[in-house]
Amino acid sequence: MASLKVPHPVPSPTEDAESLRKAFEGWGTNEKSIISILAHRDAAQRMQIRLAYEELYQQDLIKRMESEFTGHLEKAMYRWMFGPAEREAILVYTEVRKANPTPDPRVIIEIACVSSPEELLAVKKVYQSCYKLSLEEDVAVRFTGDIRKLLVALVGTYRYDGGEIDTRLAHAEAKTLHDAINEKAFGHEEVIRILTTRSKAQLNATFNCYKDEYGTTINKSLPADSENEFFLALRATIQSLTSPCKYFEKLLRNAIINHGTDDGILTRVIVSRAEKDLQEIKEVYFKRNNVPLAHAVAKDTSGDYKAFLLALLGD
């Protein structure tokens, strides 16, 4: 369930565009007014506002906003103004071009594993249209070794999205995974094949068989090496495929409790999940930490940036 709260009735795109123009003009930008509008419009409504603004003022709304905002608020607002496929294509493109620190594979894993097959296909189409190369080839160039094999396969598949499961297959592939882990063949082609091609329902069945037969979860069977990028990527893949809300809760928790808030992760998760499942993520966060996510965010952020994130959280 989304956390985004849209008013009813909602003003017309023209009315919103005119209100935004007023907020930009005069003595200083009226950030509160802009947040009160844009943080309460869904993707389709935001697109209509962009079109209305350009028609009225012959100016791109996003470029105008970039000139008005700075810092974390600018980044959060910029991401919010795009639809999901555009935003995720931009996130991947920006991430894979990082030189120092190196690209974070979790950005790619989230998009490939949490998205439906149609949503992932939409991201890939936008990526190819905007950047004149495929998502697969860009990922392949930026990563090496086992993690490249995993990521390229994840973004290259069109995963079956049905709920049917094959119990016999689940038992067989649980054994395949267990044998590979015991032999420390973590990047074995069968491990990659199972994780990147099976439906989410089938994988859940396989992981349940794994736990029943071997007395532990597959994630706990992986080495506890927090410095090994491939092990971290495997864990992120498994959890984002099977328990995305728990996966995002952990990302947010670590982003907030670590020394100095990781605003990149905080912004990415809240902006990308506000129209999808942020309400469930909030519930998981409270159950895990006994503190509302909004309270934790408010404590670690400030000013208009804080106000914008809290608006997206529905608080």
Side-chain angles (χ1 to χ4, degrees), residues 45 110 178 209 235 239 247-248 252 265 290:
Q45 292 164 341
E110 290 164 21
H178 182 261
C209 286
R235 284 199 179 85
Q239 190 161 33
Y247 168 79
F248 285 120
L252 288 169
I265 291 176
N290 204 31

Side-chain angles (χ1 to χ4, degrees), residues 22-208:
K22 290 177 183 176
F24 293 139
E25 302 296 326
W27 294 97
T29 304
N30 188 339
E31 288 88 351
K32 289 181 175 56
S33 177
I34 296 167
I35 291 169
S36 72
I37 297 168
L38 295 178
H40 298 285
R41 303 292 186 270
D42 63 29
Q45 292 164 341
R46 296 193 303 275
M47 175 57 73
Q48 290 302 312
I49 294 170
R50 287 171 59 185
L51 294 173
Y53 193 93
E54 187 160 3
E55 183 176 343
L56 284 171
Y57 306 112
Q58 291 74 54
Q59 185 179 38
D60 183 273
L61 176 57
I62 292 177
K63 289 184 178 178
R64 178 62 192 262
M65 290 171 63
E66 285 181 301
S67 71
E68 299 288 341
F69 300 135
T70 59
H72 298 314
L73 179 61
E74 178 194 357
K75 182 179 290 186
M77 277 286 203
Y78 176 81
R79 291 177 176 177
W80 179 243
M81 288 305 297
F82 291 98
E86 291 176 291
R87 179 191 305 123
E88 292 179 351
I90 292 168
L91 281 171
V92 173
Y93 185 81
T94 303
E95 189 64 38
V96 298
R97 270 154 185 76
K98 284 184 178 178
N100 188 22
T102 55
D104 185 349
R106 291 176 301 180
V107 175
I108 299 157
I109 290 167
E110 290 164 21
I111 292 167
C113 296
V114 179
S115 302
S116 71
E118 287 297 327
E119 289 169 341
L120 176 57
L121 182 60
V123 174
K124 291 165 66 175
K125 287 180 176 178
V126 170
Y127 202 93
Q128 192 160 316
S129 174
C130 290
Y131 305 120
K132 310 308 176 189
L133 73 169
S134 73
L135 178 54
E136 292 91 334
E137 66 181 301
D138 219 4
V139 169
V141 167
R142 306 293 169 175
F143 293 90
T144 59
D146 287 338
I147 197 163
R148 174 166 64 183
K149 291 192 295 184
L150 175 66
L151 296 179
V152 171
L154 283 174
V155 299
T157 193
Y158 188 88
R159 200 185 293 271
Y160 177 61
D161 205 24
E164 298 86 354
I165 62 170
D166 183 329
T167 304
R168 183 177 298 178
L169 179 65
H171 282 281
E173 294 193 331
K175 183 179 185 305
T176 298
L177 292 170
H178 182 261
D179 290 348
I181 290 171
N182 267 358
E183 295 167 8
K184 303 189 185 305
F186 307 107
H188 192 281
E189 62 182 18
E190 285 296 279
V191 175
I192 303 294
R193 177 188 62 79
I194 292 167
L195 293 180
T196 61
T197 65
R198 294 302 185 200
S199 71
K200 294 177 183 179
Q202 185 64 40
L203 284 171
N204 270 305
T206 298
F207 298 150
N208 286 336

Side-chain angles (χ1 to χ4, degrees), residues 268-282:
R268 183 175 88 236
V269 175
I270 292 177
V271 168
S272 66
R273 308 316 298 176
E275 295 178 90
K276 296 182 178 180
D277 54 6
L278 190 52
Q279 192 61 39
E280 289 97 326
I281 294 168
K282 287 166 58 179

Side-chain angles (χ1 to χ4, degrees), residues 1-5 244-250 252-253 256 266 269-270 273-297 309-315:
M1 183 185 299
S3 62
L4 180 69
K5 293 182 178 179
C245 288
K246 289 182 179 179
Y247 168 79
F248 285 120
E249 181 279 327
K250 186 175 181 179
L252 288 169
R253 174 165 32 98
I256 291 169
L266 188 66
V269 175
I270 292 177
R273 308 316 298 176
E275 295 178 90
K276 296 182 178 180
D277 54 6
L278 190 52
Q279 192 61 39
E280 289 97 326
I281 294 168
K282 287 166 58 179
E283 292 167 6
V284 174
Y285 189 95
F286 182 77
K287 186 176 181 180
R288 174 67 175 74
N289 303 282
N290 204 31
V291 173
L293 178 56
H295 289 189
V297 170
L309 294 184
L310 292 180
L312 295 186
L313 283 164
D315 294 291

